[in-house]
Amino acid sequence: MGLELYLDLLSQPCRAVYIFAKKNRIPFELRPVDLLKGQHLSDAFAQVNPLKKVPALKDGNFTLAESVAILLYLTRKYKVPDHWYPQDVQTCALVDEYLAWQHTALRRSCLRALWHKVRP
Ligand SMILES: N[C@@H](CCC(=O)N[C@@H](CS)C(=O)NCC(=O)O)C(=O)O
């Protein structure tokens, strides 16, 4: 089995992984996980990600969680163009800086706004 991505496109980190894979023409099987139906809580999905969160990746016997780790894995495995994750140490460090910052700054605020919209 090739690369499988477990995603719900309602989720921002899932969309980041999905768009990145599509833009770079990385072949993958989409394994939809419907958060609103609680599919991420199933025992079957826990085999892929014991943390029961999406996105998650399966590549043969290898499994991986966390969108940033998944994006970096895809970057390294598929040797995407340099502008995504530059070779230059300092330019690359600026990308890392953003990846670290967005979790606690951008994403947390956006998540709050999303839940206000989708929660009854
Ligand atoms: N830091 C993780 C966040 C993963 C995450 O919180 N995913 C949410 C969807 S955006 C989820 O699966 N939530 C289900 C739950 O917490 O029960 C990443 O970047 O992948």
mmCIF file of all heavy atoms in Angstrom, residues 40 48 51 59 61 66 76-77 89 96 100 102 110 118 120:
data_model
loop_
_atom_site.group_PDB
_atom_site.id
_atom_site.type_symbol
_atom_site.label_atom_id
_atom_site.label_comp_id
_atom_site.label_asym_id
_atom_site.label_seq_id
_atom_site.Cartn_x
_atom_site.Cartn_y
_atom_site.Cartn_z
ATOM 1 N N HIS A 40 -12.885 9.681 14.168
ATOM 2 C CA HIS A 40 -11.508 9.730 14.685
ATOM 3 C C HIS A 40 -11.381 9.003 16.028
ATOM 4 O O HIS A 40 -10.288 8.755 16.494
ATOM 5 C CB HIS A 40 -11.047 11.185 14.809
ATOM 6 C CG HIS A 40 -11.911 12.011 15.717
ATOM 7 N ND1 HIS A 40 -13.253 12.239 15.489
ATOM 8 C CD2 HIS A 40 -11.620 12.664 16.872
ATOM 9 C CE1 HIS A 40 -13.744 12.999 16.441
ATOM 10 N NE2 HIS A 40 -12.769 13.262 17.304
ATOM 11 N N VAL A 48 -3.873 3.940 13.527
ATOM 12 C CA VAL A 48 -3.085 4.874 12.699
ATOM 13 C C VAL A 48 -2.546 6.004 13.566
ATOM 14 O O VAL A 48 -1.371 6.367 13.468
ATOM 15 C CB VAL A 48 -3.952 5.450 11.555
ATOM 16 C CG1 VAL A 48 -3.139 6.396 10.678
ATOM 17 C CG2 VAL A 48 -4.549 4.327 10.721
ATOM 18 N N LEU A 51 -3.346 9.111 19.160
ATOM 19 C CA LEU A 51 -3.834 10.365 19.734
ATOM 20 C C LEU A 51 -5.248 10.695 19.259
ATOM 21 O O LEU A 51 -5.877 11.630 19.751
ATOM 22 C CB LEU A 51 -2.890 11.525 19.357
ATOM 23 C CG LEU A 51 -1.434 11.391 19.827
ATOM 24 C CD1 LEU A 51 -0.588 12.527 19.262
ATOM 25 C CD2 LEU A 51 -1.364 11.376 21.346
ATOM 26 N N ASP A 59 2.308 5.180 5.651
ATOM 27 C CA ASP A 59 3.136 4.917 4.472
ATOM 28 C C ASP A 59 3.727 3.525 4.677
ATOM 29 O O ASP A 59 4.731 3.372 5.377
ATOM 30 C CB ASP A 59 4.226 5.998 4.378
ATOM 31 C CG ASP A 59 4.915 5.981 3.022
ATOM 32 O OD1 ASP A 59 4.481 5.219 2.138
ATOM 33 O OD2 ASP A 59 5.876 6.754 2.845
ATOM 34 N N ASN A 61 4.143 0.451 6.656
ATOM 35 C CA ASN A 61 3.948 0.186 8.091
ATOM 36 C C ASN A 61 4.223 1.412 8.957
ATOM 37 O O ASN A 61 4.083 1.352 10.176
ATOM 38 C CB ASN A 61 4.887 -0.941 8.558
ATOM 39 C CG ASN A 61 4.496 -2.260 7.939
ATOM 40 O OD1 ASN A 61 3.307 -2.507 7.705
ATOM 41 N ND2 ASN A 61 5.475 -3.094 7.652
ATOM 42 N N GLU A 66 0.561 14.730 13.477
ATOM 43 C CA GLU A 66 1.000 16.131 13.559
ATOM 44 C C GLU A 66 1.282 16.697 12.162
ATOM 45 O O GLU A 66 2.221 16.274 11.478
ATOM 46 C CB GLU A 66 2.235 16.302 14.457
ATOM 47 C CG GLU A 66 1.924 16.148 15.933
ATOM 48 C CD GLU A 66 1.012 17.252 16.477
ATOM 49 O OE1 GLU A 66 1.059 18.401 16.000
ATOM 50 O OE2 GLU A 66 0.207 16.946 17.359
ATOM 51 N N ARG A 76 10.643 15.908 2.559
ATOM 52 C CA ARG A 76 11.905 15.153 2.448
ATOM 53 C C ARG A 76 11.752 13.952 1.535
ATOM 54 O O ARG A 76 12.618 13.680 0.704
ATOM 55 C CB ARG A 76 12.377 14.729 3.832
ATOM 56 C CG ARG A 76 12.809 15.938 4.662
ATOM 57 C CD ARG A 76 13.085 15.581 6.097
ATOM 58 N NE ARG A 76 13.451 16.780 6.836
ATOM 59 C CZ ARG A 76 12.923 17.118 8.012
ATOM 60 N NH1 ARG A 76 12.045 16.334 8.602
ATOM 61 N NH2 ARG A 76 13.282 18.225 8.617
ATOM 62 N N LYS A 77 10.647 13.242 1.673
ATOM 63 C CA LYS A 77 10.505 12.009 0.898
ATOM 64 C C LYS A 77 10.330 12.292 -0.591
ATOM 65 O O LYS A 77 10.858 11.573 -1.433
ATOM 66 C CB LYS A 77 9.336 11.178 1.428
ATOM 67 C CG LYS A 77 9.142 9.925 0.600
ATOM 68 C CD LYS A 77 8.395 8.820 1.252
ATOM 69 C CE LYS A 77 8.348 7.640 0.269
ATOM 70 N NZ LYS A 77 7.566 6.529 0.759
ATOM 71 N N VAL A 89 20.338 27.315 5.257
ATOM 72 C CA VAL A 89 20.068 27.092 6.686
ATOM 73 C C VAL A 89 19.222 28.212 7.293
ATOM 74 O O VAL A 89 18.270 27.973 8.044
ATOM 75 C CB VAL A 89 21.408 26.940 7.444
ATOM 76 C CG1 VAL A 89 21.178 26.897 8.950
ATOM 77 C CG2 VAL A 89 22.120 25.683 7.003
ATOM 78 N N ASP A 96 10.892 27.240 9.672
ATOM 79 C CA ASP A 96 10.698 26.543 10.955
ATOM 80 C C ASP A 96 10.085 27.481 12.003
ATOM 81 O O ASP A 96 9.229 27.077 12.796
ATOM 82 C CB ASP A 96 12.035 26.011 11.497
ATOM 83 C CG ASP A 96 12.568 24.853 10.664
ATOM 84 O OD1 ASP A 96 11.776 24.205 9.957
ATOM 85 O OD2 ASP A 96 13.791 24.621 10.711
ATOM 86 N N ALA A 100 6.567 26.780 13.929
ATOM 87 C CA ALA A 100 6.447 26.728 15.384
ATOM 88 C C ALA A 100 5.454 27.785 15.891
ATOM 89 O O ALA A 100 4.641 27.517 16.784
ATOM 90 C CB ALA A 100 7.823 26.939 16.021
ATOM 91 N N GLN A 102 2.866 29.295 14.299
ATOM 92 C CA GLN A 102 1.468 29.238 13.879
ATOM 93 C C GLN A 102 0.597 28.367 14.794
ATOM 94 O O GLN A 102 -0.593 28.621 14.936
ATOM 95 C CB GLN A 102 1.353 28.775 12.417
ATOM 96 C CG GLN A 102 2.002 27.433 12.064
ATOM 97 C CD GLN A 102 1.087 26.241 12.214
ATOM 98 O OE1 GLN A 102 -0.119 26.358 12.095
ATOM 99 N NE2 GLN A 102 1.679 25.084 12.469
ATOM 100 N N CYS A 110 -7.876 30.859 15.173
ATOM 101 C CA CYS A 110 -8.767 30.437 14.090
ATOM 102 C C CYS A 110 -9.668 29.299 14.561
ATOM 103 O O CYS A 110 -10.839 29.235 14.187
ATOM 104 C CB CYS A 110 -7.970 29.998 12.868
ATOM 105 S SG CYS A 110 -7.156 31.373 12.081
ATOM 106 N N VAL A 118 -19.376 26.445 13.822
ATOM 107 C CA VAL A 118 -19.915 25.110 13.526
ATOM 108 C C VAL A 118 -20.653 24.478 14.712
ATOM 109 O O VAL A 118 -21.477 23.604 14.507
ATOM 110 C CB VAL A 118 -18.841 24.101 13.026
ATOM 111 C CG1 VAL A 118 -18.213 24.581 11.747
ATOM 112 C CG2 VAL A 118 -17.794 23.811 14.074
ATOM 113 N N PRO A 120 -23.441 23.978 17.476
ATOM 114 C CA PRO A 120 -24.826 24.448 17.579
ATOM 115 C C PRO A 120 -25.004 25.373 18.783
ATOM 116 O O PRO A 120 -24.272 25.339 19.713
ATOM 117 C CB PRO A 120 -25.619 23.160 17.768
ATOM 118 C CG PRO A 120 -24.658 22.065 18.013
ATOM 119 C CD PRO A 120 -23.293 22.560 17.666
#
